[in-house]
Amino acid sequence: MADDFITVKVGSMYYRVTGGADPAYVQKVAQQANDLLAEIKSRHPGLSDLAASVLALLNSIDRGWKLESGDCDADQDLQAKQAALDQAQAEILHLREQVWDIKKDALYYRNLCEMYEERLNSMPPKTANSTPKTGGDKLRPLDLMQTSFEDLTSGPIKTKD
């Protein structure tokens, strides 16, 4: 029958606990009780061990009832924070995709600029007396350009110069 007992430490006391549950579970429960008691002692260092134990018991029962009734703000806060975290992680993934697309575009345009620079460098240099290729006609002012369908039939207007 001695095999059914598990020795645990809560606060400054050792207890022999019996239980049909797994010994690891009993150790976990005892650790949680020890953590609750340490939390109370850290908040109220002047309390006796008995007063701290009673206060930890009251806090534990309060938390349990709130969880049972679904009225626990901590549980709701946790769910809200988890949803916010999931949303933030999705936003991070979206931003990473956008950054990746921007990097691909920048690389594409950099390569395109390099290609055009190579083509420009391979072209023969312009001479000072080269003229634009307009078919020999002089450039006309905008007001003398085609403005109606009649101008199409009569032909282009020649300028005097």
Side-chain angles (χ1 to χ4, degrees), residues 64-93:
W65 284 355
K66 283 182 178 178
L67 282 174
E68 282 179 7
S69 69
D71 189 30
C72 184
D73 292 336
D75 188 41
Q76 292 171 352
D77 286 346
L78 179 64
Q79 290 175 355
K81 287 180 181 178
Q82 184 63 42
L85 176 65
D86 292 342
Q87 184 178 5
Q89 288 174 338
E91 181 68 20
I92 288 171
L93 287 176

Side-chain angles (χ1 to χ4, degrees), residues 3 5 7 17 23 25 27 33 47 55 61 68 70 79 82 84-85 89 93 95 107 119 121 126 130 143 155:
D3 293 334
F5 290 101
T7 303
V17 180
Y25 175 78
Q27 289 287 345
L47 287 179
L55 191 55
I61 291 171
E68 282 179 7
Q79 290 175 355
Q82 184 63 42
L85 176 65
Q89 288 174 338
L93 287 176
L95 291 173
L107 182 62
R119 285 185 182 178
N121 291 335
K126 280 188 159 185
S130 62
D143 59 338

Side-chain angles (χ1 to χ4, degrees), residues 2 8 19 33 35-36 38 42-43 50 78-79 82 87 92 101 105 109 113 123 126 128-130 143 145 159-161:
V8 294
D35 292 345
L36 288 172
S42 69
R43 285 189 197 164
L50 179 61
L78 179 64
Q79 290 175 355
Q82 184 63 42
Q87 184 178 5
I92 288 171
D101 287 341
D105 289 344
Y109 287 116
C113 286
M123 291 178 68
K126 280 188 159 185
N129 47 348
S130 62
D143 59 338
M145 308 235 6
T159 60
K160 298 177 189 178
D161 276 348

Side-chain angles (χ1 to χ4, degrees), residues 98-115:
Q98 285 181 336
V99 166
W100 180 248
D101 287 341
I102 290 169
K103 284 181 178 180
K104 288 192 306 188
D105 289 344
L107 182 62
Y108 170 77
Y109 287 116
R110 186 182 79 193
N111 290 337
L112 189 63
C113 286
E114 289 173 358
M115 183 180 71

